[in-house]
């Protein structure tokens, strides 16, 4: 885990300009939205997104919400439909996230979607978030700015107490007005409430003129990372390969002879950033087996191994 000096930036034009510059450089910037403080990274930068998981100590790669300044930016990322349009007109900017099919022509990092073919998008309300997104000028991936498993932060001070030394900056925009995370509405198939939040089910039903199904609490889909088949490549996956065999696509880690190397320097952030892209590329070679070097089960390695064990599971 790299140790950095965490700056607290004011939400002045100059502070936001510096925050946007930090995002452009691949840095992590926590910023207030109307719901909670988000931990932002350039959604097109694999390494920056990998660092989000590292800073949060997330044990698996849950997909992240992408934040945009306006509708035009959202439509460049996802396949739009009339229900999305109705919800956007009623609730954006605001505490609603929509999950829609990801367009194929985007630069969104595969780590943002955790390999899914859908993308969660939202246009946050809140002056500071809006101004930061405009200053940055691109999609920002942001989970809540807290260590995994801790409560979500609603003030800059919460973020500093928790993540100081792990992120480059926090923009102080005062307390969040909503205080709970956004409602997540799945619109890639049957309209489904994926997470309750700032907008109620009744409000959604009324606006969409249709019944939004509720996910039962026992359903596992709220952590789509657990839908095994989404991550499975076509090839069989062989884990902890001490040696590679003939005909295998070889995914290495460390100083080793292989087809693609997750990180020659054994840097787990670099490995996480490369993971989905490299699996995809090796799968595309048509090899029957992808063999993968052992990955240390520490830090981000836990999330990487979680994902790899799903990729290797029986289908
Ligand atoms: O209010 C919020 O939504 C805050 C602020 C920062 O915007 N963000 C937030 O992010 O709560 P996070 O990472 O804590 O929660 C994201 C949720 C996760 O439960 C994840 O599983 C779900 O969104 N999610 C993301 N992409 C998805 C997808 N493609 N399909 C289904 N669920 C998805
Ligand atoms: Mg969270």
């Amino acid at each position: 885990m790299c140790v950095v000096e965490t700056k607290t930036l004011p939400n002045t034009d100059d502070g936001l300009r510096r925050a946007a510059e930090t995002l452009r450089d691949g840095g992590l910037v926590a910023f207030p939205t109307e719901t909670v403080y988000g931990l932002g990274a350039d959604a097109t930068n694999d390494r920056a997104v990998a660092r989000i998981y590292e800073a949060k100590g997330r044990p698996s790669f849950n997909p992240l919400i992408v934040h945009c300044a306006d509708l035009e930016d959202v439509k460049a990322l996802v396949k739009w439909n009339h229900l999305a349009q109705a919800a956007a007109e009623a609730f954006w900017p605001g505490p609603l996230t929509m999950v829609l099919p990801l367009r194929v022509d985007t630069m969104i990092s595969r780590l943002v979607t955790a390999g899914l073919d859908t993308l969660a998008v939202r246009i946050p309300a809140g002056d500071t978030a809006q101004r930061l997104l405009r200053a940055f000028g691109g999609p920002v991936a942001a989970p809540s700015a807290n260590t995994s498993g801790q409560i979500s932060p609603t003030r800059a001070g919460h973020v500093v107490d928790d993540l100081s030394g792990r992120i480059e900056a926090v923009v102080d925009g005062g307390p969040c007005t909503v205080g709970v995370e956004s409602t997540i509405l799945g619109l890639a198939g049957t309209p489904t409430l994926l997470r309750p939040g700032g907008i109620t089910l009744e409000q959604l039903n009324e606006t969409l003129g249709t019944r939004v199904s509720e996910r039962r609490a026992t359903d596992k889909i709220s952590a789509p990372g657990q839908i095994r088949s989404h991550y499975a490549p076509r090839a069989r996956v062989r884990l902890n390969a001490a040696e590679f065999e003939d005909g295998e696509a070889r995914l290495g880690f460390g100083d080793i002879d292989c087809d693609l190397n997750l990180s020659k320097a054994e840097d787990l952030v670099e490995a996480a950033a490369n993971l989905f892209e490299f699996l995809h590329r090796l799968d595309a070679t048509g090899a029957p087996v992808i063999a993968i070097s052992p990955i240390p089960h520490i830090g981000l390695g836990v999330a990487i191994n979680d994902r790899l064990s799903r990729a290797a599971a029986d289908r």
Side-chain angles (χ1 to χ4, degrees):
M1 169 99 46
C2 48
V3 175
V4 295
E5 190 203 334
T6 303
K7 293 196 180 69
T8 299
L9 299 171
N11 64 348
T12 57
D13 286 347
D14 185 55
L16 293 170
R17 189 185 50 71
R18 288 168 64 195
E21 222 165 78
T22 304
L23 287 173
R24 250 172 250 129
D25 290 342
L28 300 184
V29 177
F31 65 99
T33 75
E34 78 281 35
T35 59
V36 299
Y37 273 71
L39 181 55
D42 177 350
T44 66
N45 180 332
D46 291 325
R47 201 184 159 84
V49 176
R51 284 194 54 220
I52 289 183
Y53 289 96
E54 184 194 44
K56 283 180 67 77
R58 257 199 193 186
S60 66
F61 296 119
N62 274 329
L64 303 174
I65 298 171
V66 163
H67 299 66
C68 293
D70 56 41
L71 209 50
E72 207 183 311
D73 294 351
V74 169
K75 287 180 180 171
L77 302 178
V78 291
K79 295 184 190 135
W80 202 236
N81 63 43
H82 70 281
L83 290 177
Q85 179 66 29
E89 280 171 17
F91 303 116
W92 275 354
L96 178 71
T97 294
M98 293 191 233
V99 173
L100 288 156
L102 177 67
R103 290 175 63 124
V104 289
D105 55 347
T106 75
M107 302 287 285
I108 295 292
S109 163
R110 283 184 206 283
L111 268 187
V112 168
T113 56
L116 296 171
D117 54 9
T118 54
L119 181 70
V121 281
R122 105 175 176 94
I123 300 178
D127 177 62
T128 303
Q130 278 286 329
R131 283 160 61 221
L132 175 61
L133 290 169
R134 283 179 204 287
F136 176 62
V140 171
S144 49
N146 53 277
T147 303
S148 191
Q150 311 252 332
I151 46 173
S152 295
T154 52
R155 282 159 208 271
H158 298 165
V159 180
V160 174
D161 290 347
D162 187 9
L163 297 180
S164 199
R166 290 188 253 163
I167 67 178
E168 275 71 20
V170 183
V171 178
D172 189 350
C176 301
T177 53
V178 176
V180 294
E181 283 92 344
S182 61
T183 298
I184 303 182
L185 173 64
L187 288 179
T190 312
T192 307
L193 184 72
L194 300 178
R195 178 176 75 182
I199 306 287
T200 65
L201 184 63
E202 291 69 32
Q203 283 175 294
L204 290 176
N205 283 336
E206 191 174 316
T207 300
L208 300 183
T210 174
R211 241 183 67 79
V212 173
S213 4
E214 268 182 282
R215 171 95 61 52
R216 281 173 295 126
T218 49
D219 289 356
K220 275 268 172 95
I221 320 166
S222 58
Q226 296 177 340
I227 306 170
R228 201 159 66 185
S229 61
H230 278 291
Y231 301 105
R234 183 200 40 75
R236 193 164 69 73
V237 172
R238 189 166 73 85
L239 301 179
N240 298 314
E243 275 161 26
F244 296 121
E245 285 158 25
D246 284 350
E248 291 181 330
R250 302 166 300 167
L251 184 57
F253 179 83
D255 191 7
I256 187 174
D257 188 26
C258 56
D259 297 307
L260 287 173
N261 202 322
L262 289 170
S263 174
K264 214 170 169 184
E266 302 190 14
D267 174 349
L268 289 165
V269 174
E270 185 185 15
N274 288 330
L275 181 65
F276 289 115
E277 177 63 22
F278 284 6
L279 279 175
H280 200 80
R281 277 199 228 162
L282 291 180
D283 207 25
T285 66
V289 177
I290 301 173
I292 306 171
S293 298
I295 309 293
H297 208 65
I298 49 166
L300 263 192
V302 178
I304 295 171
N305 285 325
D306 166 83
R307 203 41 77 234
L308 285 176
S309 66
R310 285 174 209 288
D314 288 337
R315 310 163 202 157

